[in-house]
Amino acid sequence: MPARRITIYDVAEAAGVSKSLVSLVLRGSPGVSDGARLRVQRAMEELGYRRNHAASALAAHRTLTVGLLIDDYTNQWFVDFVHGLEPVLAAEGYRLSVVEAGADRAAAVNGLLSTRPDGVVVAMDVPEDLVAADAPPVVVAGTREHIPDSVDTVANDDRLGARLATEHLVGLGHTRIGHLAAAGGAGAARHASFVASMREAGLDPLVSAPVPVAATEVMGYASARDMLRAHPGITAIFAANDSMAVGALGAAHELGLEVPGRLSVIGYDDTPLARMRLVDLTTIDDKSVAVGEAAGRMLIARMEGSDDPQVHTTVEPTLVVRTTTAHAPEG
Amino acid sequence: MPARRITIYDVAEAAGVSKSLVSLVLRGSPGVSDGARLRVQRAMEELGYRRNHAASALAAHRTLTVGLLIDDYTNQWFVDFVHGLEPVLAAEGYRLSVVEAGADRAAAVNGLLSTRPDGVVVAMDVPEDLVAADAPPVVVAGTREHIPDSVDTVANDDRLGARLATEHLVGLGHTRIGHLAAAGGAGAARHASFVASMREAGLDPLVSAPVPVAATEVMGYASARDMLRAHPGITAIFAANDSMAVGALGAAHELGLEVPGRLSVIGYDDTPLARMRLVDLTTIDDKSVAVGEAAGRMLIARMEGSDDPQVHTTVEPTLVVRTTTAHAPEG
């Protein structure tokens, strides 16, 4: 195990001064007495403090906060994830703040970094600006595109989950199954695994055009409506996430297709939305509480200075059968 | 209009030193050169800087962040509210971080304050610790209990909204109407106004025991199920919020009561949940975007040093008729 990184806190303690003063010395600021400057410099040498711009800036502005960057508050995937992440961070004295990226991702990232979090959890596709040289440690949660080399990752196994969803529908006798696809890393993995699982079962995969923006209820509604109109023989839909699945339920209702008698619908994520009595959605539990806990542990290790090799963890999803899927109608 | 409060930024600029150095001088830290200390002290005198522990601590740790404290991420009331609040703050350079209070409110408040936000928006009943002498400015959003004297408030008019909901149902010919009540400031106001509006219409108000915890879908389901079993003649339900209304829709579905043919359901808040096609809930629009915008403007004024008298703003809610309410069934 590598030695803990020496921080300006250690230097301040050894020199008997405040960390603000160490910070001023590091920046070469005027106004520091010669005696204090000397004590700080001596402590740095004795401790083997490596003068590193990023580390010193980080330590100087240590906030004991962790920023969580998400796509969209209406996608309740993040709720369970936070309920896993927050207690792990809190146990080590870190507080979590959530920032929604919204349309202007660059502004959101800049804003988040300006609050000087000690670490960042990214629960969306990773914005490029976030892994600059002086950015705090980053853990990426969920399956994402373009993962930078410098970050740890933890996600449920989206390929396995999509396979479980597809095999559940195939096992119920469905042969005409549509997938409501979403863009992004998780969306692409679920899509690819659906196609592969259908082909293995000797079935033709039907896939909607992946929605290019956030995979919302509105997008799921539109996507399902278009698919059900173009392919009225479909008896089952696998949606890229629960929000889209609830949109599909809305489209089915509008088109007079009884669920699950005439149409089965399965989602992904097992969000609070899926668990509502009115929805009661069959879905894939992506273990977002466990993913949140793992993300918290990984980030804490980095914030405490670990420079172990990057870690990539995968959690196994499970099928949750509720009331929106049933045997294929007689055909 | 009062003069802008002099901050340590002003002192630092006038003295030609960094704000960290001013902060060290204010704290009486050792290690500051005599020359620098003298320049800072002179600048303070010239600017009329009032040495105030809270103000100097606040200014020293100015983070340009605003903390938003909410009850529960699953209550999507906060989503529209954030979408009003965030752009107003961003335009002035402030970033928003959201903290969920959860079960341990004291810990959440302490954690939030430890991140040293420049201001706090409270969108839940106000925790006592939050208005201590050295706390940052606070704006309370939504109708809340025990509003401290020192805070500005903005809310929709819950009494008017509950009246609109009740009168909508009465206007559709319903006479046996139940209210699913919630605790807390907004819950109490909606409850009281329902009772008053029913009595004015010459009708007996039926009210469930107010749910003492977060007004969730689960609580709405349980509350509606109990009420519909105990009072099978009810033809309409007014739920304290949309989450509870969706729970009521689930209970109605389970009991085989067609909505809106046999049972009308109206919610409150017009959350993203209410707008989902599957739900399509008649509700009261509490104008949470406008409330968020107003909260942002009020907080910015305080963070910039306004010591005007406290402001209490009310926004008018409106009725949004969707598909869960209809004329009372023939009786």
Side-chain angles (χ1 to χ4, degrees), chain B residues 1-7 10 58 62 64 88-89 91-94 118-119 137 296-307:
Chain B
M1 191 175 150
R4 192 172 69 84
R5 189 176 63 205
I6 303 298
T7 69
D10 305 307
L58 187 65
R62 197 166 164 80
L64 287 177
V88 171
L89 295 175
E92 298 293 325
Y94 293 96
D118 289 345
R297 287 191 299 266
M298 293 158 93
L299 189 62
I300 285 167
R302 293 293 172 198
M303 293 189 295
E304 290 177 349
S306 162
D307 55 7

Side-chain angles (χ1 to χ4, degrees), chain A residues 85-138:
Chain A
L85 175 63
E86 192 149 42
V88 171
L89 295 176
E92 299 292 325
Y94 293 96
R95 293 299 309 181
L96 186 68
S97 294
V98 182
V99 172
E100 185 187 38
D104 189 347
R105 295 186 171 203
V109 169
N110 289 338
L112 177 62
L113 292 180
S114 77
T115 67
R116 305 186 184 285
D118 289 345
V120 174
V121 177
V122 179
M124 52 183 280
D125 284 314
V126 186
E128 285 179 16
D129 310 3
L130 198 59
V131 287
D134 60 346
V138 172

Side-chain angles (χ1 to χ4, degrees), chain A residues 163 166 170 191-207:
Chain A
R163 168 174 297 278
T166 310
V170 171
H191 174 169
S193 178
F194 166 76
V195 170
S197 304
M198 287 291 281
R199 294 224 166 105
E200 276 176 38
L203 298 171
D204 268 344
L206 176 70
V207 180

Side-chain angles (χ1 to χ4, degrees), chain B residues 8-281:
Chain B
I8 68 163
Y9 289 83
D10 305 307
V11 174
E13 194 182 338
V17 301
S18 72
K19 68 174 170 52
S20 303
L21 194 80
V22 176
S23 177
L24 286 172
V25 171
L26 278 168
R27 294 206 301 263
S29 300
V32 178
S33 71
D34 290 342
R37 188 185 308 278
L38 202 65
R39 281 206 304 284
V40 168
Q41 286 166 343
R42 198 173 300 142
M44 284 187 206
E45 280 167 29
E46 282 170 6
L47 291 169
Y49 179 80
R50 284 190 305 137
R51 186 160 170 175
N52 167 311
H53 178 69
S56 65
L58 187 65
H61 298 288
R62 197 166 164 80
T63 55
L64 287 177
T65 64
V66 167
L68 169 61
L69 199 59
I70 65 169
D71 259 322
D72 175 12
Y73 285 124
T74 60
N75 182 349
Q76 297 228 319
W77 175 83
F78 87 96
V79 176
D80 286 343
F81 177 76
V82 165
H83 290 167
L85 175 63
E86 191 150 43
V88 171
L89 295 175
E92 298 293 325
Y94 293 96
R95 293 300 307 180
L96 185 68
S97 293
V98 182
V99 172
E100 184 188 40
D104 189 348
R105 293 186 173 204
V109 169
N110 288 338
L112 178 62
L113 292 180
S114 77
T115 67
R116 304 186 184 285
D118 289 345
V120 174
V121 178
V122 179
M124 53 183 279
D125 283 314
V126 186
E128 285 178 16
D129 311 2
L130 198 58
V131 287
D134 60 346
V138 172
V139 170
V140 175
T143 303
R144 310 297 172 188
E145 288 173 325
H146 313 303
I147 300 290
D149 292 338
S150 59
V151 305
D152 299 321
T153 65
V154 54
N156 98 109
D157 183 341
D158 285 295
R159 290 190 155 263
L160 174 58
R163 169 173 297 278
L164 293 174
T166 310
E167 289 178 351
H168 171 63
L169 296 174
V170 171
L172 288 168
H174 295 276
T175 55
R176 289 160 297 177
I177 305 172
H179 175 56
L180 306 183
R190 294 169 190 181
H191 174 169
S193 178
F194 167 75
V195 170
S197 303
M198 287 291 282
R199 295 224 165 105
E200 276 176 39
L203 298 172
D204 268 344
L206 177 69
V207 180
S208 69
V211 304
V213 291
T216 59
E217 183 267 345
V218 173
M219 299 307 299
Y221 165 78
S223 193
R225 188 196 51 198
D226 294 350
M227 178 179 272
L228 290 166
R229 280 181 182 161
H231 306 274
I234 288 174
T235 63
I237 283 180
F238 164 37
N241 69 10
D242 287 351
S243 296
M244 291 186 74
V246 173
L249 292 176
H253 183 74
E254 187 177 292
L255 296 170
L257 300 174
E258 195 205 339
V259 175
R262 168 62 185 79
L263 183 75
S264 285
V265 176
I266 183 168
Y268 203 114
D269 289 343
D270 196 22
T271 56
L273 191 60
R275 300 192 288 265
M276 289 183 168
R277 304 304 177 288
L278 183 70
V279 177
D280 207 30
L281 183 71

Side-chain angles (χ1 to χ4, degrees), chain A residues 2-316:
Chain A
R4 192 173 66 85
R5 189 177 63 204
I6 303 299
T7 69
I8 69 165
Y9 288 82
D10 305 309
V11 174
E13 195 181 338
V17 301
S18 72
K19 68 177 169 53
S20 304
L21 194 80
V22 176
S23 177
L24 287 172
V25 171
L26 278 170
R27 295 206 300 264
S29 299
V32 178
S33 71
D34 289 342
R37 188 185 307 278
L38 203 64
R39 282 206 303 284
V40 168
Q41 285 167 342
R42 198 173 300 142
M44 285 188 205
E45 280 167 29
E46 282 169 8
L47 292 169
Y49 179 79
R50 285 188 305 136
R51 184 159 171 177
N52 167 311
H53 177 69
S56 65
L58 186 66
H61 298 287
R62 198 167 164 82
T63 56
L64 287 177
T65 64
V66 167
L68 169 62
L69 199 59
I70 64 169
D71 258 322
D72 175 12
Y73 285 123
T74 60
N75 182 350
Q76 297 227 320
W77 174 83
F78 88 98
V79 176
D80 287 342
F81 177 76
V82 165
H83 290 167
L85 175 63
E86 192 149 42
V88 171
L89 295 176
E92 299 292 325
Y94 293 96
R95 293 299 309 181
L96 186 68
S97 294
V98 182
V99 172
E100 185 187 38
D104 189 347
R105 295 186 171 203
V109 169
N110 289 338
L112 177 62
L113 292 180
S114 77
T115 67
R116 305 186 184 285
D118 289 345
V120 174
V121 177
V122 179
M124 52 183 280
D125 284 314
V126 186
E128 285 179 16
D129 310 3
L130 198 59
V131 287
D134 60 346
V138 172
V139 169
V140 175
T143 304
R144 309 298 171 188
E145 290 173 323
H146 314 304
I147 301 291
D149 293 338
S150 59
V151 305
D152 299 320
T153 65
V154 55
N156 98 107
D157 182 341
D158 285 295
R159 289 190 156 262
L160 173 59
R163 168 174 297 278
L164 293 174
T166 310
E167 289 177 351
H168 171 62
L169 296 174
V170 171
L172 289 168
H174 295 277
T175 56
R176 288 160 300 175
I177 305 172
H179 176 57
L180 305 182
R190 294 169 190 180
H191 174 169
S193 178
F194 166 76
V195 170
S197 304
M198 287 291 281
R199 294 224 166 105
E200 276 176 38
L203 298 171
D204 268 344
L206 176 70
V207 180
S208 70
V211 304
V213 292
T216 59
E217 183 268 345
V218 173
M219 298 308 299
Y221 165 78
S223 193
R225 187 195 52 198
D226 293 350
M227 179 180 270
L228 291 165
R229 280 180 182 162
H231 306 274
I234 288 174
T235 63
I237 284 180
F238 164 38
N241 70 11
D242 287 351
S243 296
M244 291 185 74
V246 173
L249 293 175
H253 183 74
E254 186 178 293
L255 295 169
L257 300 174
E258 195 206 338
V259 174
R262 168 62 185 79
L263 183 75
S264 285
V265 175
I266 184 169
Y268 202 114
D269 290 341
D270 196 23
T271 56
L273 190 60
R275 300 191 287 264
M276 290 183 169
R277 305 302 177 291
L278 183 69
V279 176
D280 207 30
L281 184 71
T282 297
T283 188
I284 301 297
D285 181 353
D286 67 343
K287 307 292 181 194
S288 44
V289 174
V291 170
E293 290 168 347
R297 287 192 297 267
M298 293 159 96
L299 189 62
I300 285 168
R302 294 294 172 196
M303 292 189 296
E304 290 178 348
S306 161
D307 54 7
D308 288 350
Q310 264 59 46
V311 179
H312 303 289
T313 300
T314 307
V315 179
E316 273 199 24

